[in-house]
Structures are given as structure tokens and as C-alpha cells.
Amino acid sequence: MSVTPLQALPLDQLRERTSAKWRTYPDDVLPLFVAETDFPLAPAITRALADAVRLGDTGYTGPDPGLRAAYAGFARRRFGWSPDPARMRSTCDVMMGIVEVLRGVLDPGDRVIVTPPVYPPFYDGIPEAGGVVERAPLRDTGEGWELDLGGIDAALAGGARAVLLCNPHNPTGTVHSRETLAELAAIAARHGAVVLSDEIHAPLTQPEATFTPFLSVSEEAARVGLALVSASKAFNLAGLKCALMVASSEEHAAVLRAMPAEVEWRTGHFGALASVAAFAPESDAWLDALLAALDENRRLLAELLAEHVPGARYRIPDAGFLAWIDLSALGWGENPARRIRREARVALHHGPMFGDEGTGHVRLNFGCSPEVLREAVARIGALVRS
């Protein structure tokens, strides 16, 4: 059954927003950098927040706002996975969850593997938790990206204690296969290591790809892993501050329970209310319509780049609303986003922030209207022709 794509809000209405996407640069810049999307909220979320404002329900987050059960139901419907709500704990966002989990499983100075190019806050969160970053870059197969399992194995054999996994991967949009994740779990189990799986983009996996929650892959994965999840990327709720830390084993559930109470108190009350509404069955149709819109845009972007920026290298992502684009052939230096913003008036995320593998790259947010996407790429194309 075909799904009618969700329509983005008009640009003049979006410019009334006061979030980072719309206040970082002047109005003549098209902002396609930070991971905010341009769509209306799911109706259930709007109702939940409006009811809270009407009631003045703006206090501290309650002891059980229904968040854990709501996510368990969402995971069951969307991923065929039934995590135990009793083995979850909330906090304000995924990165804070990563830091707190790492504090619970690491000794100071332990090395944590990341798989660049990867989400820039990983490089800051690991030292905040007392760890040291160790790199095991993704492998470019010529058709896509995959984990370098041999490199991860060698790093763990050399003393690294944990792997910080990004699945689906930011910025490439790669959805790692069940087989890859099972092998990663086996490697981690062999070395007595922990795998933290950031699954914030999971709800945005396109239908032809299959997202597999790491903790569901095998008994080994359930034993060595913890997951970090949130409604914030899919439902555009980042400012409301709510995420879940999820364990499968009793050992890791004990790590979550041992965290200071303040970790859970940081959960935003509006974030919890909005996330419960997002994870509810009534928001599934909205999410499907969003996925349809993003599917059209990820394919449109390929056409636009071929037409206007023929030197660009871009692979259509499996998930999310972020495009990883190699502009090295254009000769615009290590960080082409700077010239694009300055001369084309389009703001993109700086590739080198994702690691050395980001040299010559940009990350583009296509969670917008097709019209905005066309205008942005046309502007970049004009810069190419000049």
C-alpha cells in the first residue's frame, strides 16, 4: 500500500522557529546542517504537549511517565524486538546516556573504539567519561560502508575495553546487517568487552533495509551490549531532552540501577510526554509518511547532485535524513562546507568534524521540502560553474 509523503512546512513559517537550525545563520542562508527536520509534529505529540501547557503540567518528570513501556511497544511493532521495560532507565539525551554508561563500565584510561567517519560528539563524550578514543574506521567496499571487524578485533586484542557503535550510522546512513552485528558481538564476548549501540536513527530505517537492534542479535549481544534510544531524531524532539538506556543482561541492568538518581532526574518532562506519544501506535502512520518523504528526498538528492554537482560522490543512505557527500574532486579544500556557506549561502555540516575520513566531505540534511533541497543544490551547482 502506498503512503502519502509528509509535507514539510513552508520556509517562511520555519523561519519563525527559534531553534539552532533557524537562528545560527542569517535568513539568506539555507540551513541544512544540524539534525533538525522541517516537518510538522506528529498530531499525538502536539496534543500531548498542548494538554500539558493547558494544565500547567510543567514540573519534574514523574517516576513512571510510561516511557519505558511505550518504547517496548514501539520496538515490538517496528523491529520485532521486545526489550524489558524493567531493564531501562531514562536520561536527558543519548550522548549523556553514553557518557553515564561508559562511566559505569570503564576504568579511567580505558580505550573505547569508534568507527569514523562518525558523529562528532563521540570524540568528546568518551574523554568526558574518562576513556580514550581509539579509531577503527569504516571500510569503504566501493558500494557502501561496513564495520572493519578485523580492525575492531585487533583493537580489542590490544587492550581496548569497549566499542561505541552507531547503528544506523551517522553520517553515512548505513544500517549494519544482522550477520555483521552478530560477529561484532562474538568478537566483543571473546575479549570481555562492552558494546554500546547508539540506535537513535533506527526509527528512520527505510522499508527495504532491515534494522536489527543490537541487543536482539544473539545471546552474546544481549550479554555484552547496552543500547541508547530516543524519539528525538525521528520525531524532531531534540530540544525536549529525553532518551532511554536499555540493557538485556542482569549485569548491565545493575549498571543502570547503580547510576545516581540525578541521571534520571535530567529527563525532560515534556520530552517524556512527547516520547510516549511518539512511540504510541497512533503515531505510526505519521512516521510512515515521514519515511515516504525522506525516501523521495534521498533519491531526489542523487538526481540533483548528478545534474548540478557532477563531481560529487553520494550513496543513497539506508536510513535517516543525512547525506554524506564527498566533494574532494571539486578542489574546495579539506572543509568544503566553509566555501559553500560563504559563497553559495548554504550551511552544511563540516566533514572533518567526523574524523580524518571526513576530509573533503560535507553532511547535508535532506529532512526538508523538495523545493528547499532543489534550491540548495542549485546554489552549490552555481558555485561549481563559477
Side-chain angles (χ1 to χ4, degrees):
M1 184 178 68
S2 62
V3 176
T4 301
L6 192 64
Q7 298 297 304
L9 295 169
L11 197 55
D12 59 346
Q13 188 172 341
L14 290 166
R15 291 203 182 279
E16 295 179 20
R17 292 181 174 180
T18 60
S19 60
K21 183 173 185 179
W22 299 101
R23 287 294 181 268
T24 300
Y25 299 109
D27 283 356
D28 67 328
V29 174
L30 288 177
L32 302 182
F33 66 115
V34 72
E36 299 180 25
T37 54
D38 295 354
F39 301 93
L41 291 177
I45 295 173
T46 300
R47 287 195 300 272
L49 295 177
D51 286 347
V53 171
R54 177 178 55 82
L55 294 169
D57 187 10
T58 53
Y60 293 109
T61 306
D64 184 12
L67 178 62
R68 292 172 294 172
Y71 179 72
F74 180 86
R76 189 163 49 249
R77 295 192 314 276
R78 305 296 293 200
F79 310 138
W81 174 46
S82 297
D84 183 354
R87 290 179 170 175
M88 302 179 193
R89 200 163 185 196
S90 68
T91 191
C92 78
D93 57 35
V94 161
M95 274 312 305
M96 181 165 287
I98 287 171
V99 170
E100 294 300 336
V101 170
L102 286 175
R103 284 176 173 153
V105 300
L106 295 182
D107 290 324
D110 281 349
R111 286 178 281 134
V112 180
I113 297 166
V114 298
T115 56
V118 76
Y119 185 51
F122 281 12
Y123 298 107
D124 297 325
I126 290 169
E128 183 182 348
V132 176
V133 174
E134 177 147 344
R135 293 160 34 83
L138 294 181
R139 295 180 63 253
D140 186 340
T141 67
E143 297 181 355
W145 291 271
E146 64 183 19
L147 295 176
D148 179 2
L149 294 172
I152 292 171
D153 192 5
L156 292 175
R161 302 300 305 136
V163 180
L164 182 45
L165 177 69
C166 196
N167 184 37
H169 195 88
N170 175 3
T172 67
T174 302
V175 175
H176 299 301
S177 70
R178 174 178 288 273
E179 294 75 19
T180 294
L181 297 174
E183 180 59 25
L184 174 63
I187 291 168
R190 187 161 64 247
H191 294 291
V194 177
V195 177
L196 276 67
S197 186
D198 172 359
E199 300 179 356
I200 197 169
H201 291 275
L204 295 173
T205 302
Q206 289 292 339
E208 79 278 5
T210 301
F211 170 75
T212 306
F214 181 77
L215 297 179
S216 74
V217 166
S218 64
E219 291 184 4
E220 287 175 316
R223 188 169 72 254
V224 304
L226 293 111
L228 293 304
V229 303
S230 176
S232 64
K233 288 295 185 286
F235 294 90
N236 203 40
L237 304 176
L240 300 186
K241 296 299 180 184
C242 180
L244 282 166
M245 303 167 287
V246 184
S248 282
S249 71
E250 178 53 33
E251 178 185 359
H252 286 156
V255 170
L256 300 185
R257 289 194 297 270
M259 290 178 180
E262 187 61 31
V263 172
E264 196 156 47
W265 275 106
R266 294 168 184 156
T267 308
H269 182 47
F270 272 28
L273 296 174
S275 296
V276 169
F279 291 140
E282 64 183 307
S283 291
D284 283 355
W286 182 95
L287 181 56
D288 290 337
L290 172 65
L291 285 166
L294 297 179
D295 181 35
E296 290 188 351
N297 278 0
R298 66 180 179 150
R299 298 178 191 279
L300 173 62
L301 179 58
E303 298 172 6
L304 293 171
L305 289 171
E307 177 184 356
H308 295 285
V309 194
R313 293 181 64 242
Y314 159 67
R315 295 181 180 128
I316 295 175
D318 299 325
F321 49 82
L322 304 171
W324 187 236
I325 306 171
D326 184 356
L327 299 179
S328 301
L330 301 182
W332 290 352
E334 295 184 356
N335 190 4
R338 289 176 176 166
R339 182 175 180 184
I340 291 169
R341 187 180 72 244
R342 184 176 63 248
E343 300 182 28
R345 310 305 287 167
V346 177
L348 306 177
H349 211 318
H350 297 189
M353 294 181 68
F354 295 81
D356 294 343
E357 295 72 18
T359 297
H361 290 64
V362 296
R363 193 190 74 177
L364 181 151
N365 177 346
F366 57 82
C368 58
S369 70
E371 293 75 21
V372 167
L373 192 58
R374 289 190 182 95
E375 172 64 18
V377 180
R379 290 187 188 186
I380 299 170
L383 184 57
V384 173
R385 291 189 296 276
S386 68

